[in-house]
Every structure is written in structure tokens, then in C-alpha cells.
């Protein structure tokens, strides 16, 4: 019994240490590139998408989101495979386990709402709210500014849900996520743990 209690106590200590350290798997350049892609996609939307086709809007921004996700997660996977030790890999799994549900929820909401044109205007607000909740979920492992940024995403999403233009402009998605990712890159860059790399 004493050995089991000691192991349980060590596991609790390890969990506390894991929560107390900043996760460094998200790379500042990759986060900044995602922000730039979002702003570019917002500017390009009016030339790329036909007017009055809500399903095209949902498809376009889903593709942009998948591209951004690939850029961001490729950097995290590279760190996981080639730079991190066992302790850091455990933290990576914990952070991803907390963040990925918001992305899956966003994908499910997109599939469900994109089928009905009248609900597509809800997507920009819902995407922002869900992404912000993902930020808030990983806040114990990220720099303090992430909590503020997550709250900003949730607030922006609430504003978009209240506004609901019938044909959302690209800035509803690309502006929110582009500026949000650029601010996230700045927050990460200004954190000591990220500067020391």
C-alpha cells in the first residue's frame, strides 16, 4: 500500500509540474503565418466566392481552416517527434487533448449547419466561440495572455452571433482569426519560455 500511495503522490506532483510549465509546441512563425493566411483569405473572398452561395462560404472557410490547422499542427508534430523529451511529450498530449475537442466540435457544427443556407451566417460566430473556448481550455499550459485572447475570441464570436449578416463578409472569419493569430504569435514571442529557444 505504501508504494502505491507514493506512486500516486508522485503522479500528482508530476501533474502539478506539467500544469505549471508553458507548452512550447506551437511555433511563433507558424502561428503568424496562419494569421497572415486568414487575412489574405478574407481579402480574397470577394473574388473567389460567388455571391449568394452560403455553402461555398462554408466550404471556402473550412478549407482555409484546414490549411491553417495543417500549418500549426505540422510545427507541433515536428517538435513532438524531434525536439521534445518524454516529459514534454506528455504535456503535448495533455494540451492537444484539451484543445482538439473544440476543433472537432467546430467541424461537426460546420457539417450540420452548412446543409441549410439559413444557418450558415451563424458559422463565423460559432467558430470564434469554439476556438476561444479551446484557448481557454489550454490556458494552464500557455502564456497568461492566452486567456485574454481566448476571451477575445469568445467575445468576437458573441458579437458575430448577435450581428448575423445574411452574407457574412470575409472579415467575419479571416479578420477575427487573422488578427487573433497574429496577436497570439506576438503573445508567444513576448513570453520568456518562447524567447529562450
Amino acid at each position: 500500500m505504501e508504494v502505491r500511495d507514493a506512486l500516486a503522490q508522485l503522479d500528482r506532483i508530476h501533474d502539478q509540474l506539467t500544469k505549471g510549465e508553458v507548452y512550447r509546441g506551437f511555433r511563433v512563425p507558424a502561428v503568424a503565418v496562419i494569421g497572415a493566411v486568414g487575412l489574405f483569405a478574407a481579402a480574397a473572398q470577394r473574388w473567389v466566392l460567388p455571391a449568394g452561395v452560403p455553402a461555398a462560404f462554408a466550404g471556402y472557410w473550412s478549407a482555409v481552416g484546414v490549411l491553417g490547422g495543417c500549418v500549426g499542427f505540422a510545427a507541433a508534430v515536428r517538435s513532438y517527434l524531434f525536439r521534445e523529451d518524454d516529459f514534454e511529450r506528455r504535456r503535448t498530449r495533455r494540451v492537444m487533448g484539451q484543445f482538439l475537442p473544440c476543433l472537432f466540435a467546430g467541424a461537426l457544427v460546420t457539417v450540420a449547419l452548412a446543409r441549410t443556407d439559413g444557418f450558415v451566417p451563424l458559422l463565423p460566430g460559432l467558430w470564434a466561440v469554439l476556438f476561444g473556448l479551446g484557448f481557454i481550455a489550454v490556458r494552464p499550459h500557455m502564456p497568461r495572455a492566452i486567456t485574454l485572447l481566448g476571451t477575445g475570441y469568445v467575445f468576437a464570436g458573441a458579437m458575430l452571433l448577435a450581428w448575423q449578416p445574411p452574407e457574412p463578409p470575409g472579415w467575419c472569419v479571416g479578420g477575427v482569426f487573422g488578427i487573433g493569430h497574429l496577436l497570439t504569435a506576438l503573445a508567444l514571442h513576448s513570453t520568456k519560455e518562447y524567447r529562450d529557444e
Side-chain angles (χ1 to χ4, degrees):
M1 281 301 243
E2 291 178 10
V3 172
R4 194 175 311 167
D5 291 339
L7 290 174
Q9 187 174 6
L10 283 173
D11 198 36
R12 284 192 299 273
I13 291 168
H14 189 266
D15 286 344
Q16 288 299 324
L17 289 172
T18 301
K19 288 179 183 176
E21 291 194 19
V22 172
Y23 172 67
R24 298 187 304 181
F26 295 120
R27 316 313 299 163
V28 173
V31 174
V33 165
I34 295 167
V37 166
L39 293 175
F40 177 79
Q45 178 183 313
R46 74 165 115 166
W47 291 289
V48 175
L49 289 183
V53 184
F57 175 87
Y60 176 74
W61 284 107
S62 294
V64 171
V66 167
L67 174 65
C70 289
V71 170
F73 283 109
V77 168
R78 183 172 178 262
S79 288
Y80 183 87
L81 294 175
F82 301 112
R83 300 177 76 193
E84 295 179 355
D85 60 22
D86 289 339
F87 183 75
E88 291 169 324
R89 285 180 178 163
R90 183 175 177 183
R91 184 174 43 242
T92 296
R93 289 190 297 272
R94 185 181 306 256
V95 168
M96 292 305 161
Q98 291 170 327
F99 188 70
L100 288 176
C102 80
L103 297 181
F104 290 130
L108 291 174
V109 164
T110 302
V111 170
L113 296 184
R115 296 178 184 178
T116 309
D117 293 348
F119 290 113
V120 169
L122 295 171
L123 287 175
L126 290 172
W127 287 334
V129 167
L130 290 169
F131 197 78
L133 291 175
F135 263 40
I136 292 168
V138 298
R139 76 187 183 287
H141 307 286
M142 300 298 289
R144 289 183 183 195
I146 293 301
T147 302
L148 183 60
L149 290 165
T151 304
Y153 273 112
V154 172
F155 179 75
M159 297 300 292
L160 290 171
L161 287 170
W163 178 36
Q164 281 186 43
E167 285 191 40
W171 298 109
C172 287
V173 182
V176 170
F177 285 90
I179 292 169
H181 275 76
L182 291 174
L183 289 173
T184 301
L186 181 63
L188 295 176
H189 179 69
S190 65
T191 302
K192 180 184 183 305
E193 291 83 1
Y194 275 81
R195 283 197 314 264
D196 290 346
E197 292 191 306

